[in-house]
Structures are given as structure tokens and as C-alpha cells.
Amino acid sequence: MCGIVGYIGKRDVQPILLNGLSKLEYRGYDSAGIAVLVQDQVKISKAEGRLANLSVQLDKQPLKGSMGIGHTRWATHGRPSDVNSHPHSDMSGKFTVVHNGIVENYMELKIELEQKGITFASETDTEVIAHLLAEHYEGDLFTAMLAVIQRLQGSYSLGVMTEYEPDKLVAVRQSSPLVIGVGQGEYFMASDISALIEHTREVYILEDGDLAILTQEGVSITKVETGEPATCKLLHIDWSADQVEKGPFEHFMLKEIHEQPLTLRNTMLGRINDQNDVIFPELAHASGAFQHVDKIFIVACGTAYHAGLVGSTVLEKLTRIPVQYDIASEFRYRDPIITERTLVIVVSQSGETADTLAAMQESRRQGAKVLAITNVPTSSVARDADYVIATKAGPEIAVASTKAYTAQLLAFYLFSIYLAQERQTLTTELHTKLIQGLKALPVQVEKVLENANEVKLYAESIKDADSLFFIGRGLDYAVALEGSLKLKEISYIHSEAYAAGELKHGTLALIEKDTPVIALATHMDLYEKTVSNIKEVKARGAHVMGITVEGNVGLLNSVDEICFIPPSHHLLAPILAVVPLQLISYYASLALENDIDKPRNLAKSVTVE
């Protein structure tokens, strides 16, 4: 998982590449590099570590030119090092490549090339591409690229340049995101729209098998398989540049936590009509399509999977359709029973998650209809799904997802009500309560955020903990899983989440004096049982932070500290209950002086399997 950028035009390319890489650093940050055509010769500068290291290097030895490519890396093949950093070149230095993805047959290709006398400088899979280009080049970069692509197996997006043709850049996409930006006499390529938005809002979203040639005169896009022109449409992007800036916040994560009320309003906007029915204009073509669904799968990874856990309970309760949830990386390997009456819901913030895309493709192959919940309506998931519900969180930069998660929860609530309306499985009373509850959520989240200092003190108190536990029942358990993931992601404190009723089946052995436990008790039907479980850990010496609904003051008798959330229907409580957990993770990490937006070993978009 990496970020790539490219530019051709009349401006100085170095600051454009560095700025683009700064917007993509969330995709990988163990090394970075750029290649610039300097007086018809490609010059490369690259450095292990954060982009700042490369910037310092370039301050001392700048690369002046008007065409170049850049890369920020999250290592898959070869340890982080200067040598393994991209861009990579062939032995002559005439062909230079940046790559996001994995060449699955690279070892076979490497052995073949070494037998021909090729010497490799790095441990990466990417370097084989540069050497193959040199081998196949006969005066035309386009033709050479077509030949090389035929040799590659796996997923990749590529940016390529050669000294032999100093007037063009080549971009190729196969199962890894790539966009082309169109300016006035200048053109861009990048893994993500966020890297281009300062310069242009007019973009082509490349499809799998697209090859683009960029010159100062324009862009041509070809389908590799047929050799025919691709039918990409030029799209206008509505994002503003300030959406990918921190503004007054110290970190993107804190900014995105505080953007959740707006995200909820935006995701709800236009989806509840004057009669208080849930409507989806984007599902107008699906009228009646869900009437015969007899089984639903929810498939996702990480935080999106946790949103799916909540979604599965809500969907099943409101629609009375059996719902199964699964981790995308496991789903297709267990031979799931899928029929034409199965609806598969895939969830992905980026819409480019490799495992989720693969699960989706397998589901469609077996005849299921696929509904995608994604934050990027131009993504691969959105383009390949039968139906799409776009969350409207705007760009999410921090690796640890917050506003995208609550937007996904809201999308599940809205779709569950929508489907229940269609199937007439929802009572008028419950329908009214849920709609009223949904409309109240943005203001209620604002209220939770106003009390952030209460959980900040608790977060600072756990920064030296060796281990921490989250417990809850029902939907609280799903929220506990997300809270535990957030804490692990950015604070590096070991934490686990357990269904509170399972404590006595083994987990209590881990509880000792002063072990921190965060207990969620927002589900009133299960409240007394949860309190009983809290008393079990307290009896073993745990220090318990309780999270419950305003009015449950009796919980103070069973916990050491407490955080109240506004009252809501228990099905909607996960959106409110997760906010304090996000803040606890943030402030614990801040107290530990960690790099909150770029936690170690992680990248935002997991575009390789």
C-alpha cells in the first residue's frame, strides 16, 4: 500500500510532487522518493523514513524540472531503506517506475532476468518492472508497456517515465486505484484525489486495464486488453482543499472526531422525506429488488467490519431477514452459500480495500446482488456494485477511522428502515422513534464532544497500562470491539474486547488489581446483566470506567469513573457510545506522544491482499 503522484506541465515539478505526497502520506510513510526529468536526464532522490527526510534532502540538492513522479511507501517486499524506496530504475537508469500494489510473480521474473545478466539493486518486486521495460523497449514506450503488462500478475498502479521519451508520462491501473487530473496545459496522476485537489477538480478515474499517456498537450487512455480508446468520463470533484487540511486542530484524527455531527447531517440529508420515510434517490432503480431477498451477508474489514456487526443486528431486527457477517479476507475462502436471493452488503471507507473487492467479485460470480456502503462514490467498490449508498463524510485522512465509521453506522440504520418499509416489517411506533432518534443524533454527538475533557483525564491515566479490556453486551459489544481497535491502533496499548457474559468462561483469569476495564452499559434491556458483569471484574480488583446513558446514576455504585451519553433508542446508542472511546484513544496516544495520524506499521487504504 503506497501513494504515487506524477506531473507533466510547465511548472517546477518538485514542490508539486512533495505537496502531493504529503496528502498521500497516510497511505504509507516508511520511505519516500521522487524522480524528475532534469535536462533530458532522470534524476532520483529518495530517503527512508517520513516525507520530511526527503524534503530536507531536496532542500540541499533540489531537482529542477517540469515532469516527474513520486512515491510514499508502506513496505511489502523488502524492508524500509533508502535502496528499497521508490522510484526504481533499470540498470541503465533510462526507465523509472513508481508502483502501488504487488507483483505476485516477481520472483519468477527476477530469476529469469538475473539469468540474462540483470543485476538488481533492491529487494522490491517493483524493480522487475523497470528491467522488463528496458528489455521490451524498441522505440515506443506505449508498446513496451503493453508487453510488460502481459508479463505481470497481481495488482498494481504504475507511473512510468523514460529519458528516451522526455515528453510523456505513462500511468497504468490494475486492481489498485489511480486518478488522472486535468489542468490548463498540465496533467497529474495520483493514487488519491486528495493529492490533486489543490490543482484541479477535473479528473478521470482509471478502470482496471486502463493505460494513460500524459503529455503537455493532453491525455489519451487506452484499454490494454483491446487496444481501443477507453470510455472514461471527465468528472468534477466537489471536495474543497480545506477538507484535507487540519485547520485549527492538532491532528486530523481530532478534526475528524469533531466533524462527526456534520458528517451525520450530510449523510442523512435528502434521505428522510416530509412524511418521515427513509428514501434513497440513488436506489430508485432498485425498486422491488429487495423483496425476494432471503439472506444477507455483510462483508468488510477492520472498522468497517465493526460497523457491519452493528448493521447486522439492526437489519435482522427490523427486516426479519437472516443476516450473517464476515471478515472480507476470510469470506471467499470458506465457500459461503450464496444464491440469487442473497444480498451481499460490502462496506469500505475508501472503496478500494482489496479483500472487500475480491469478496464482492466472488459474490457477484455466484449470482448475488451487491450493495456497497462507501465514502468514495467514484471508487472501485462503488463502480462494481449493483447498488451504492454513499456516506458523506468527506475525505478522511487519519489512519484511525472515526467519522467514516459513524457515517457507516448511520447508513446501516437508514437502509434497515428503508428495507423494513419496503417489506412492511416495521411498526409505526418503532418507525417514529427511530426517525426521531436519527434526527437528534448530530446535536447529541455535539453534546458528547462538549464533555471531551472528562474522558481526557481518564485517557491520560491509562497511558502506562500494560493491558486494557472493553466489555459490553449486545450492540455494546460491537462498540467495544471498535473501541479496542482504536486504542490499539494509535496508542499501542494492548487491549481486548469481550462480550461481558463471556468473562466467566476464561477472561476473568486476566483481571488483577488495577486492570483498566471500560464497560459499556447503554442497552437497557441488558443493563442489569451488564452491571452484574461489571461487579465480577470489580471483585477481582479491576479499575472500571463505565459508559452509560444519562439517568443511570446507579452505575456509580459499581464503577470507579463514569461517562454519560445522551438518551436515545438503544439501537442508535452505538453512534453516541463510540465517541468517548474515540476520544480516549486519541488522548491516550497524545499523552504517549505517539504519531496519532500515522500509527506505526499501518496504512489507511489496504489495497493489497
Side-chain angles (χ1 to χ4, degrees):
M1 293 98 69
C2 311
I4 67 175
V5 294
Y7 172 82
I8 184 168
K10 296 181 172 61
R11 288 193 277 165
D12 183 9
V13 70
Q14 179 178 301
I16 294 172
L17 295 179
L18 288 176
N19 180 262
L21 291 177
S22 73
K23 301 298 190 297
L24 296 176
E25 200 174 12
Y26 69 88
R27 299 178 67 95
Y29 35 87
D30 59 38
S31 60
I34 65 171
V36 175
L37 187 70
V38 181
Q39 297 178 347
D40 293 337
Q41 186 176 7
V42 175
K43 300 287 188 181
I44 294 175
S45 181
K46 52 188 183 178
E48 181 184 354
R50 296 295 170 84
L51 182 61
N53 296 349
L54 177 64
S55 296
V56 169
Q57 192 168 289
L58 287 167
D59 283 343
K60 297 174 182 176
Q61 293 182 302
L63 300 180
K64 295 290 185 180
S66 58
M67 182 176 85
I69 51 180
H71 187 275
T72 180
R73 182 172 188 248
W74 186 88
T76 52
H77 291 77
R79 60 186 174 83
S81 68
D82 289 353
V83 171
N84 287 333
S85 305
H86 295 218
H88 289 288
S89 298
D90 71 306
M91 289 175 65
S92 72
K94 301 292 186 184
F95 297 89
T96 305
V97 178
V98 290
H99 168 220
N100 175 25
I102 291 179
V103 180
E104 293 175 355
N105 61 330
Y106 92 99
M107 186 54 71
E108 172 189 329
L109 294 170
K110 182 175 182 178
I111 292 170
E112 175 190 319
L113 289 164
E114 286 177 331
Q115 289 173 345
K116 295 177 181 179
I118 301 298
T119 301
F120 280 75
S122 76
E123 304 167 284
T124 69
D125 56 335
T126 303
E127 194 180 341
V128 300
I129 300 170
H131 295 303
L132 286 172
L133 276 168
E135 180 180 75
H136 286 282
Y137 187 76
E138 296 180 352
D140 182 61
L141 183 57
F142 175 78
T143 304
M145 281 302 309
L146 291 179
V148 170
I149 290 167
Q150 301 304 315
R151 305 290 310 278
L152 304 180
Q153 298 173 13
S155 63
Y156 47 84
S157 57
L158 304 174
V160 177
M161 56 193 294
T162 176
E163 292 178 9
Y164 292 122
E165 299 181 40
D167 60 342
K168 67 181 63 168
L169 291 179
V170 175
V172 183
R173 173 195 164 125
Q174 182 60 49
S175 302
S176 188
L178 200 59
V179 299
I180 305 298
V182 177
Q184 295 295 322
E186 58 183 7
Y187 299 87
F188 310 81
M189 64 177 171
S191 299
D192 192 309
I193 290 166
S194 62
L196 311 178
I197 203 70
E198 270 186 44
H199 308 291
T200 180
R201 296 185 188 177
E202 310 303 318
V203 302
Y204 292 108
I205 309 292
L206 296 190
E207 302 277 357
D208 284 351
D210 283 352
L211 186 155
I213 302 288
L214 287 67
T215 70
Q216 288 190 22
E217 284 68 48
V219 177
S220 63
I221 305 173
T222 303
K223 280 290 179 192
V224 170
E225 188 174 341
T226 63
E228 298 294 323
T231 56
C232 289
K233 294 181 180 179
L234 191 64
L235 302 176
H236 178 78
I237 303 303
D238 291 328
W239 292 357
S240 61
D242 62 358
Q243 286 181 282
V244 290
E245 300 294 341
K246 288 195 286 267
F249 295 93
E250 187 175 354
H251 297 95
F252 277 111
M253 183 179 178
L254 186 60
K255 174 178 182 270
E256 289 157 7
I257 289 172
H258 281 268
E259 286 177 338
Q260 288 177 116
L262 177 61
T263 293
L264 294 171
R265 290 185 178 99
N266 287 342
T267 299
M268 233 181 305
L269 188 64
R271 288 170 170 167
I272 299 176
N273 66 16
D274 293 339
Q275 290 74 46
N276 280 336
D277 289 327
V278 173
I279 57 170
F280 283 103
E282 62 268 50
L283 297 183
H285 67 296
S287 178
F290 306 119
Q291 283 286 354
H292 303 295
V293 169
D294 61 9
K295 185 178 185 180
I296 297 174
F297 281 104
I298 298 174
V299 183
C301 301
T303 286
Y305 171 71
H306 295 156
L309 295 183
V310 176
S312 67
T313 297
V314 177
L315 263 170
E316 195 165 83
K317 181 174 182 62
L318 299 190
T319 68
R320 311 313 297 161
I321 301 172
V323 182
Q324 261 183 272
Y325 48 84
D326 212 338
I327 298 169
S329 58
E330 297 293 328
F331 178 70
R332 62 196 169 109
Y333 298 113
R334 66 175 183 81
D335 194 20
I337 300 173
I338 296 171
T339 72
E340 292 180 354
R341 299 184 69 176
T342 302
L343 175 65
V344 176
I345 302 176
V346 298
V347 193
S348 170
Q349 186 281 138
S350 68
E352 302 293 349
T353 310
D355 290 315
T356 303
L357 279 164
M360 173 177 168
Q361 290 157 4
E362 176 63 17
S363 300
R364 295 193 72 191
R365 188 187 69 79
Q366 293 194 40
K369 293 296 184 182
V370 175
L371 169 70
I373 296 176
T374 181
N375 193 38
V376 185
T378 56
S379 64
S380 300
V381 159
R383 294 198 305 276
D384 291 348
D386 298 288
Y387 316 107
V388 180
I389 295 175
T391 56
K392 299 175 183 178
E396 189 178 63
I397 306 300
V399 167
S401 179
T402 53
K403 64 176 182 175
Y405 170 75
T406 48
Q408 288 163 359
L409 291 184
L410 181 55
F412 271 116
Y413 293 138
L414 291 168
F415 181 69
S416 299
I417 296 170
Y418 170 85
L419 190 53
Q421 289 169 177
E422 187 173 287
R423 297 173 67 91
Q424 298 182 354
T425 54
L426 192 58
T427 66
T428 301
E429 181 185 6
L430 181 54
H431 182 276
T432 300
K433 287 181 179 179
L434 290 175
I435 295 296
Q436 289 174 343
L438 289 175
K439 289 181 175 180
L441 283 172
V443 171
Q444 290 179 318
V445 172
E446 287 171 350
K447 185 175 180 181
V448 176
L449 291 169
E450 287 171 2
N451 299 320
N453 282 336
E454 294 179 10
V455 295
K456 181 179 180 182
L457 294 173
Y458 174 75
E460 291 169 347
S461 76
I462 63 169
K463 71 180 181 67
D464 296 320
D466 293 324
S467 192
L468 187 145
F469 297 95
F470 292 76
I471 61 172
R473 283 176 171 263
L475 291 176
D476 283 338
Y477 171 52
V479 178
L481 286 166
E482 175 59 13
S484 176
L485 177 62
K486 282 292 151 290
L487 190 69
K488 284 182 280 199
E489 279 180 311
I490 62 170
S491 75
Y492 318 140
I493 298 170
H494 172 259
S495 68
E496 298 295 338
Y498 291 95
E502 286 293 292
L503 289 169
K504 61 182 72 69
H505 297 288
T507 310
L508 277 174
L510 299 173
I511 303 297
E512 54 189 9
K513 188 177 184 301
D514 295 328
T515 299
V517 174
I518 297 177
L520 291 102
T522 72
H523 200 316
M524 297 315 298
D525 289 348
L526 297 167
Y527 177 75
E528 294 300 333
K529 293 183 181 296
T530 304
V531 171
S532 175
N533 300 137
I534 291 170
K535 289 178 179 178
E536 289 171 351
V537 297
K538 279 293 293 176
R540 274 84 180 168
H543 184 97
V544 180
M545 156 68 91
I547 295 177
T548 191
V549 176
E550 290 173 4
N552 289 341
V553 292
L555 189 63
L556 284 165
N557 298 322
S558 303
V559 300
D560 300 284
E561 298 172 68
I562 199 162
C563 174
F564 291 107
I565 62 171
S568 182
H569 191 283
H570 74 268
L571 289 178
L572 307 180
I575 284 183
L576 300 170
V578 78
V579 178
L581 304 187
Q582 295 168 344
L583 291 167
I584 288 169
S585 299
Y586 174 82
Y587 285 118
S589 183
L590 187 67
L592 289 162
E593 300 182 351
N594 293 340
D595 192 339
I596 292 172
D597 288 334
K598 302 181 183 72
R600 68 189 183 199
N601 302 331
L602 300 178
K604 180 70 170 174
S605 301
V606 185
T607 56
V608 296
E609 186 176 356

